Amino acid sequence: MATSQNREPSKKAIKSPGGSGSSQGKTNSSGQTVKFARRTSSGRYVSLSREDLDMSGELSGDYMNYTVHIPPTPDNQPMDTSVAVKAEEQYVSNSLFTGGFNSVTRAHLMDKVIDSEVTHPQMAGAKGSACMMPACDGKVMKDERGVDITPCDCRFKICRDCYLDAQKDTGLCPGCKEQYRVGDEYDEPSDYNSGTLQLPGPDGKRDNMSVMKRNQTGEFDHNRWLFETKGTYGVGNAFNPQDDGYGDGGGDGFPGGSLDADDKPWKPLSRILPIPAAIISPYRLLIFVRLIVLSFFLHWRIVNPNNDARWLWLMSIICEIWFAFSWILDQTPKFFPINRQTDLEVLHDKFDMPSPSNPTGRSDLPGIDFYVSTADPDKEPPLTTANTILSILAVDYPVEKIACYISDDGGALLTFEAMAEAASFADLWVPFCRKHDIEPRNPDSYFALKVDPTKNKSSLDFVKDRRKIKREYDEFKVRINGLPDSIRRRSDAFHAREEMKQLKNMRENGTDPLEQVKVPKATWMADGTHWPGTWAVPSHDHAKGDHSGILQVMLKPPSPDSLLGSADDDKLIEFTDVDIRLPMFVYVSREKRPGYDHNKKAGAMNALVRASAILSNGPFILNLDCDHYINNCKAIREGMCFMMDRGGENICYIQFPQRFEGIDPSDRYANHNTVFFDGNMRALDGLQGPMYVGTGTMFRRFALYGFDPPNPDKLPVKKDTETPGEPLTQSNTEPLTACDFDADLDTNLLPKRFGNSTMLAESIPVAEYQGRPLADHPAVKFGRPPGILRAPRDPLDATTVAEAVSSISCWYEDKTEWGDRVGWIYGSVTEDVVTGYRMHNRGWRSVYCVTKRDAFRGSAPINLTDRLHQVLRWATGSVEIFFSRNNALLASMRLKLLQRLAYVNVGVYPFTSIFLIVYCFLPALSLFTGQFIVANLNITFLIYLLTITICLIALALLEVRWSGVALEDWWRNEQFWLISGTSAHLAAVVQGLLKVMAGIEISFTLTAKSAGEDNDDIYADLYLVKWTSLMIPPIVIGMVNIIAIIVAFSREVYALNPQWARFIGGAFFSFWVLAHLYPFAKGLMGRRRKTPTIVFVWSGLIAITLSLLWVAINPPAPGVVAGAAGGGFQFP
């Protein structure tokens, strides 16, 4: 059978232009019939045609379709697979793939990706030697170190296309005219499933050891190898000190220092740390006490109305009943908070430790795909996104197991080239982080640290290396910041050239010279070709909502084994004995066309799910916003401790807490949201698990596909035929098919649920199987055998990438269940909560992973207006959830009761704003009228009020203890709850009702990451005052309460019989309202008191109008006589 390389077209197979004009053809779901061709700037044609094509008609001079099909005949034998694989991967990584609906999938071979020089051999556009074939301008094939690959011993340098031609024509080397030899570079492939690998000798060389040291059965003889070479096994390489494995120098222990995983005592990877009973028991008791007291209080309030002001009493009692209901929804899910702890040493011993069956220490951890989403480079700075990407590429996880995907929903060349620059800079940054154990691995955050950088550093060249990398990073930032101007100048230059060409053609053709030259103003890439995405001047097929799908493998998959640097490497920094490999990195911009609903971020995430399933198929997925970087390089390993532990097969996702930087020290608007992340989420972890909050989440890919959690008792058992009769708990299980997990899912229905891609459908059971925990304990009833993930990934070929391009087209989801059952769920602006709810509703559970060092950090809007708009979007999504089938009241019985209440609260909490606004006006109405919510302040009312207040304070103090939240943060959260409840939440209720009843859609725009006028002040945004209508209700509430206090105080001063008790009651609640509004008032003042005049004018008018309206509705009684001075005073 011919390899993928033999099916590739060669230059001699290219026909002259002028064939068929029918460039369209049906694309088989397997991706084998994708047809595309493009001519590069050098005149070479690149194609990935897979079937015969009837050529009838005319094509332009730039594009052509043709057929190449070479069966494995005797005169056409497969080439050396090692050379073929490397050539194919290099070809794929150097090509920009584009395609979409009703368009041909094309691969544009890019000799140059960015203007700056690219050095890393894994990156697209890396420099290389020129092909020695006459009239060929191709680049020579390279290996992992960037060394030229010469298939023949004569060292004749030849490019991929010429090598293919030589193989297909004569099989002779063009240099020495000798036959190319096949298969002499590597020995027979290793059996990674059994753990038998080719072993190096003590000198580090790989010779014929795998042949010499074989026993009579043909298997590798480890004992003979150890005896004859005096080699040993150890951590990180094939050699270990001769001791007993305990580090004490004794010689009585296990020889070699390592045991197989099956021989070691079983240890859990994680454990639950319960909250101390001295804290949680009083906490639960106080919840019951407050609930009982609230019941008696509300009963007393109902049976003791204020007959003098029934309207005031009725409004207050309705609000208080709702507040009690809301408190129950918020408080009862907090009955069972827990903490968790992971054991990274056990994880290393189980998955990364060298052993006799795994002498090289190849990792058995599952793969993970990282998703980073961005949409607008103007509002989401490319430098911020690039720093996030760099922190991912440098994460402490097996390099060959990582694949990073960037989703550019704007299709901007600026983002594309910024990511290429980041991949180029990673050549230095990633090995630097590994060499010196840098933390955090976001270069911007690392160099901004205010601590001594040499702390805990022992390497003598650290200071020198840090100085060099800091200079390189500064130059990197300058290049990123200069990209917009560079792209503009380049595009203007190429546009002027095209205009000159057009003008020359017009003159040659005798066209009227006065006729205007019409050349579309395109955006040009660094290699002198049109950018297939969005242009600076939008045009057809090149606008934000109208462009082709784009996929570029910026960093091809690394080699499966470590690639250590050496002193001979041409590097700015010496990386001797440091792994210099980089993870796979892919740029993706899904196709967008007018008339299609692209479903915003959820649609972009689902496109990444499909593309990554075809390209890398990591069993786990971690999604991050473009401004959230990895702050703890071991966070992924900590999350994996839960997924790979006993019972981990039922975990759908691991949620990490969101942490933010750049927040003002006082956290004026509760941006840190610690009460939610450290309180509510930790409490949900003791139930069915925390909610999904949109970023910093590690998903199980299989759970995203809409399947129920596995039930070993009901699933069919597939075992290895060589070990019949063994129970499922042993390491003999085989992958199941997708239909085995869903009885209603027939094989013929796979396209209806997942789309037409057979590669995607075939990847589903593989991802499920590889994501199982190890079957290393009898209690693990649904596991996988140890060692099966040590085998390297299948290499990328052009057919696979073309299939991925097809999966991100705008039509792919039509008539499928993507967004309804599969992937991120559509229909809400808070798609994250809905997606997590659907998983919990199917019976999955989630885990909250709080690491000692913050796992991720990001930015949050510290400006009042931006913060209110952020809360508005969240609250609007909650209202949408309440009026949809995702309401937890309609959930299945698989959702636990307290978890159900938590989700009910998500949909209900915005409606509290209606009652909250009314209640905030009640103190002012009480002061205006001289009445109170109760007939008189008797002892019963005061006892109830005092008891409820004491319980509230005690609960707050205990919650602060078990959650670790600072008391000041708790108070800030209370303040912003009232601010947002009287502004954004009310607007969300109105918008949600409009959408449900009138069908009016709600659109939200991205918030700019920085808008401050003072570049030297990181908190400049805090003092900006940007007018929004959301500010009106809190301003009116504040001014009405202030006016009411002044009026009521004046009235009591001049009254003949002052009612100070009622005044104090009303004034107390008015001060309670004003105290909560204090941060809002500070935000309105700004730094220089630049509050817009319209704010005070509108607020004053509304306050005066409300006061006059009240006087008209309830006029004052006549004849109110003032004091002895004889003066009269009348006021309501």
Side-chain angles (χ1 to χ4, degrees), residues 862-1104:
I862 61 175
N863 177 264
L864 175 60
T865 304
D866 294 338
R867 176 72 165 135
L868 290 178
H869 280 287
Q870 181 188 56
V871 174
L872 171 64
R873 183 174 65 86
W874 295 342
T876 303
S878 295
V879 176
E880 291 174 345
I881 292 172
F882 181 80
F883 288 109
S884 71
R885 59 176 178 154
N886 298 310
N887 191 321
L889 294 174
L890 308 176
S892 69
M893 297 304 295
R894 297 181 180 181
L895 194 67
K896 295 182 179 179
L897 176 61
L898 295 184
Q899 188 84 16
R900 185 189 302 262
L901 290 179
Y903 275 113
V904 168
N905 189 39
V906 169
V908 165
Y909 82 87
F911 296 95
T912 304
S913 61
I914 301 173
F915 304 93
L916 183 60
I917 286 182
V918 172
Y919 210 72
C920 288
F921 277 114
L922 287 183
L925 297 177
S926 176
L927 291 172
F928 279 135
T929 60
Q931 301 293 334
F932 195 52
I933 57 176
V934 294
N936 51 66
L937 296 177
N938 56 24
I939 189 66
T940 305
F941 174 77
L942 293 177
I943 289 177
Y944 276 129
L945 185 62
L946 181 62
T947 305
I948 292 173
T949 303
I950 291 176
C951 287
L952 176 64
I953 295 174
L955 280 172
L957 293 175
L958 289 174
E959 187 170 329
V960 163
R961 288 287 305 277
W962 64 254
S963 66
V965 177
L967 192 59
E968 182 181 4
D969 293 335
W970 181 87
W971 171 237
R972 286 281 183 253
N973 184 77
E974 291 294 309
Q975 289 179 310
F976 194 75
W977 170 77
L978 189 141
I979 295 170
S980 59
T982 55
S983 57
H985 293 176
L986 179 64
V989 172
V990 175
Q991 290 185 352
L993 292 175
L994 288 176
K995 181 178 181 180
V996 172
M997 295 187 298
I1000 301 176
E1001 288 292 334
I1002 308 148
S1003 60
F1004 294 94
T1005 57
L1006 292 172
T1007 302
K1009 301 302 179 186
S1010 180
E1013 299 174 357
D1014 189 356
N1015 294 328
D1016 297 330
D1017 187 355
I1018 60 175
Y1019 306 127
D1021 283 359
L1022 181 67
Y1023 309 108
L1024 279 177
V1025 181
K1026 296 183 287 186
W1027 167 248
T1028 174
S1029 56
L1030 298 177
M1031 295 179 176
I1032 293 178
I1035 292 175
V1036 172
I1037 290 173
M1039 296 191 68
V1040 167
N1041 276 275
I1042 292 174
I1043 293 174
I1045 292 174
I1046 296 173
V1047 169
F1049 180 78
S1050 302
R1051 181 184 56 207
E1052 297 302 329
V1053 168
Y1054 291 102
L1056 184 62
N1057 296 311
Q1059 300 290 328
W1060 289 107
R1062 293 184 177 181
F1063 168 78
I1064 292 175
F1068 172 80
F1069 286 106
S1070 285
F1071 278 118
W1072 175 85
V1073 173
L1074 294 175
H1076 282 74
L1077 290 175
Y1078 175 70
F1080 178 81
K1082 288 187 67 176
L1084 283 181
M1085 295 300 103
R1087 176 186 290 174
R1088 306 175 184 89
R1089 305 190 180 276
K1090 288 187 176 181
T1091 305
T1093 307
I1094 190 66
V1095 173
F1096 296 107
V1097 173
W1098 284 14
S1099 302
L1101 289 175
I1102 293 175
I1104 294 173

Side-chain angles (χ1 to χ4, degrees), residues 29 45 55 94 108 274 411-412 476 538 593 625 710 735 739 858 881 1033 1042 1053:
S29 60
Y45 283 92
M55 307 185 73
N94 283 334
H108 170 54
F476 165 74
R593 299 298 179 192
D625 290 341
C739 304
I881 292 172
I1042 292 174
V1053 168

Side-chain angles (χ1 to χ4, degrees), residues 275 279 283 334 339 657 659 667 670 672-683 848 850 955-974:
I275 305 297
I279 298 176
Y283 182 76
K334 296 181 180 180
N339 292 314
R659 305 302 188 199
D667 193 14
H672 285 300
N673 213 358
T674 52
V675 173
F676 174 76
F677 286 114
D678 291 336
N680 298 59
M681 297 285 275
R682 202 186 301 261
Y848 198 51
V850 183
L955 280 172
L957 293 175
L958 289 174
E959 187 170 329
V960 163
R961 288 287 305 277
W962 64 254
S963 66
V965 177
L967 192 59
E968 182 181 4
D969 293 335
W970 181 87
W971 171 237
R972 286 281 183 253
N973 184 77
E974 291 294 309

